[in-house]
Amino acid sequence: MKALEGIKVLDFTHVQSGPTCTQLLAWLGADVIKVERAGVGDATRQQLVDKPGADSLYFTMLNHNKRSLELNTKSDEGKEVLTRLVETCDVLVENFAPGALDRMGFGWENIQKINPRMIMASVKGFGPGRYEDCKVYENVAQCAGGSASTTGWRDDRPMVTGAQIGDSGTGLHLAFGILAALFQREKSGRGQRVLAAMQDGVLNLCRVKLRDQQRLAAGPLDEYSQFGEGIEFGDSVPRAGNDSGGGQPGRILKCKGWETDPNAYTYFITQAAVWKHVCDVIGKPEWKDDPDYATPKARLPRLNEIFEAIEAWTMTKTKFEVMDICNPLDIPVGPILSMKEIAEDPDLRKTGTIVEVDHPQRGKYLTVGCPVKLSDSPVEVSRSPLLGEHTVEILEGVLGYSGADLDRIVGSGAVGKVGAVAAE
Ligand SMILES: CC(C)(COP(=O)(O)OP(=O)(O)OC[C@H]1O[C@@H](n2cnc3c(N)ncnc32)[C@H](O)[C@@H]1OP(=O)(O)O)[C@@H](O)C(=O)NCCC(=O)NCCS
């Protein structure tokens, strides 16, 4: 049995943010029915194509464990099928541009009329306010949510991060809202609206920077490198390079091989509790009792000098040797792992975090499995559906169409070209 067994999801999502959410629900055991534009499908099927004629990795890696139904929701028959889906499903997830669902005739009021138990979950770029009508993509959300202004180097322009905190991050936020709404429905018997705005999701992940914004009123942020360098603070949180976000100073330092390997680096945190171990490891035992270095406060104005000394040591070791030496001493370090190293990591393969999946069009590829492990609801990652692969199966098995009624829907063209898909 799976945690969400019996829950049916009308997956009206596309691109990344919404599909991330519904993929998680599918992994937890929900029956996720992805409704795609007839003959077209989710635009990402054809984006960043590496194998012509095959669904892209962009699509396959975000749509595992789902079923695909082609549907033109703007035709009469399409609206009829969509209405039946709303009647039958527990959750509708969508990330259309603001207003698109209303224009389709399936706004919240109508959804409630059709199925008062329906949970309608949406990703939008912004919550209610002056930008609510805007279409939003990942990097726009990173900029609007405070990530870009606080990422990068102080004397350079704002920077976006490679982690998809606007898209995948918001999908994750939406999933937890949906689970809470499902739980509440058990008691109330009613569905509700769940909204995850990308700006809000990014800001939630940038919480510590809003903390620092308020701390600025009390004086300079003394754990930021610029404090030690004597550079004045302005009136908003500056970019802090690779400084750690907590009160324990940390930096990214070169390791053996950095001249040729762009990822021969380690993160190194000079945690106060293990300062004496740090001094021993880097060959500076005299710093343990020297009043200029012995306390965190004394070290703050000397961080550049201290990290130079630590780096002189890390440069004599590989990033993995640094880990092997520091870990037993509880000195927090972390090798900078390349995507190649992560893809080949045997532990991640064993836990199902990196999974190899077989696909009829593209053969074997790697994906990221479910990042959360439930002991009673194990996840088996199965490949993403081909466009319209389950159209008839869903019309018959989920919506109860048969005989002349089924022929009418199929004949109308509202569900694309049935039979055009050869799966395996
Ligand atoms: C991502 C985004 C910018 C893309 O915008 P877009 O390409 O214009 O796509 P839309 O979502 O507006 O949908 C386009 C149209 O397709 C229509 N459509 C979608 N599925 C359909 C279907 N199965 N049958 C018929 N029409 C369909 C919509 O109704 C809409 O039509 P309309 O504009 O005439 O009302 C936009 O969807 C958005 O801002 N989403 C919310 C934020 C978000 O999730 N962003 C991150 C994406 S990773």
Side-chain angles (χ1 to χ4, degrees):
M1 178 177 172
K2 297 283 168 64
L4 293 184
E5 211 166 287
I7 297 295
K8 285 195 181 58
V9 177
L10 196 179
D11 179 7
F12 232 162
T13 69
H14 63 149
V15 206
Q16 185 181 165
S17 63
T20 308
C21 168
T22 51
Q23 179 168 260
L24 288 167
L25 301 178
W27 280 336
L28 295 178
D31 180 7
V32 176
I33 298 167
K34 184 163 173 111
V35 176
E36 299 186 74
R37 290 222 290 192
V40 181
D42 187 325
T44 59
R45 285 186 185 268
Q46 299 307 321
Q47 276 178 20
L48 308 177
V49 168
D50 59 323
K51 288 198 177 184
D55 283 334
S56 70
L57 287 166
Y58 195 177
F59 177 83
T60 56
M61 290 179 72
L62 287 162
N63 290 285
H64 293 104
N65 297 63
K66 304 180 185 177
R67 299 199 277 172
S68 167
L69 166 79
E70 275 178 89
L71 196 65
N72 176 4
T73 58
K74 290 183 175 161
S75 72
D76 288 345
E77 290 79 5
K79 283 189 198 302
E80 176 192 320
V81 172
L82 188 56
T83 305
R84 283 214 202 176
L85 277 167
V86 173
E87 282 164 357
T88 312
C89 291
D90 300 275
V91 185
L92 183 161
V93 190
E94 63 93 19
N95 67 313
F96 291 125
L101 215 50
D102 293 300
R103 289 194 291 277
M104 222 182 258
F106 289 85
W108 174 228
E109 276 183 20
N110 195 24
I111 296 278
Q112 270 180 307
K113 268 189 219 142
I114 302 169
N115 179 359
R117 284 176 60 80
M118 173 63 83
I119 290 156
M120 180 171 152
S122 307
V123 170
K124 294 288 168 262
F126 294 91
R130 64 195 190 284
Y131 297 130
E132 64 185 319
D133 291 332
C134 294
K135 293 186 179 182
V136 169
Y137 291 94
E138 171 69 49
N139 288 345
V140 176
Q142 288 196 26
C143 295
S147 177
S149 68
T150 54
T151 302
W153 301 98
R154 192 182 54 248
D155 44 9
D156 207 337
R157 66 182 69 196
M159 192 175 277
V160 294
T161 164
Q164 304 286 282
I165 57 177
D167 281 341
S168 286
T170 307
L172 197 55
H173 282 93
L174 190 70
F176 104 75
I178 291 170
L179 296 181
L182 278 168
F183 191 65
Q184 189 172 358
R185 195 183 70 170
E186 290 295 301
K187 289 169 261 176
S188 70
R190 282 195 318 276
Q192 62 182 297
R193 282 211 73 172
V194 180
L195 170 68
M198 295 169 76
Q199 182 184 38
D200 301 11
V202 171
L203 177 57
N204 185 36
L205 299 175
C206 290
R207 181 170 294 262
V208 299
K209 298 298 180 182
L210 184 58
R211 173 200 69 193
D212 291 349
Q213 180 62 40
Q214 295 168 90
R215 288 175 57 227
L216 261 181
L221 305 170
D222 54 14
E223 79 284 11
Y224 281 52
S225 293
Q226 82 177 70
F227 172 75
E229 291 163 18
I231 297 166
E232 268 196 36
F233 284 76
D235 61 1
S236 63
V237 174
R239 291 183 271 290
N242 290 321
D243 290 348
S244 81
Q248 309 285 344
R251 301 235 179 128
I252 287 184
L253 305 177
K254 291 172 182 166
C255 291
K256 200 175 185 173
W258 67 273
E259 300 89 337
T260 51
D261 176 356
N263 294 304
Y265 288 83
T266 184
Y267 203 87
F268 197 109
I269 301 178
T270 56
Q271 198 173 48
V274 291
W275 173 245
K276 292 194 174 187
H277 291 319
V278 173
C279 296
D280 285 334
V281 162
I282 66 169
K284 292 274 185 195
E286 66 277 14
W287 279 359
K288 286 195 268 190
D289 300 313
D290 183 332
D292 281 348
Y293 300 88
T295 64
K297 197 167 184 341
R299 289 194 289 275
L300 285 174
R302 297 179 174 78
L303 288 181
N304 282 356
E305 180 201 351
I306 288 168
F307 278 111
E308 268 167 36
I310 299 173
E311 190 169 61
W313 175 75
T314 57
M315 282 165 69
T316 67
K317 308 280 178 233
T318 69
K319 61 190 177 186
F320 297 110
E321 286 168 347
V322 170
M323 183 83 164
D324 291 343
I325 294 167
C326 291
N327 224 15
L329 300 170
D330 286 338
I331 301 172
V333 295
I336 307 303
L337 296 181
S338 69
M339 267 303 151
K340 183 171 184 297
E341 288 164 329
I342 289 171
E344 292 164 356
D345 187 304
D347 289 339
L348 294 177
R349 296 286 184 114
K350 236 182 273 165
T351 57
T353 296
I354 297 278
V355 190
E356 193 174 77
V357 184
D358 207 359
H359 188 277
Q361 293 172 332
R362 55 177 312 117
K364 290 192 165 50
Y365 66 94
L366 290 184
T367 196
V368 185
C370 186
V372 186
K373 320 289 189 239
L374 280 74
S375 63
D376 265 3
S377 184
V379 173
E380 290 142 42
V381 177
S382 61
R383 68 166 176 84
S384 57
L386 303 179
L387 177 60
E389 184 176 343
H390 306 97
T391 296
V392 173
E393 180 182 307
I394 291 162
L395 290 174
E396 290 179 329
V398 179
L399 303 181
Y401 281 103
S402 64
D405 224 11
L406 179 63
D407 292 345
R408 177 177 58 83
I409 297 295
V410 171
S412 73
V415 291
K417 281 192 190 147
V418 167
V421 174
E424 245 114 349

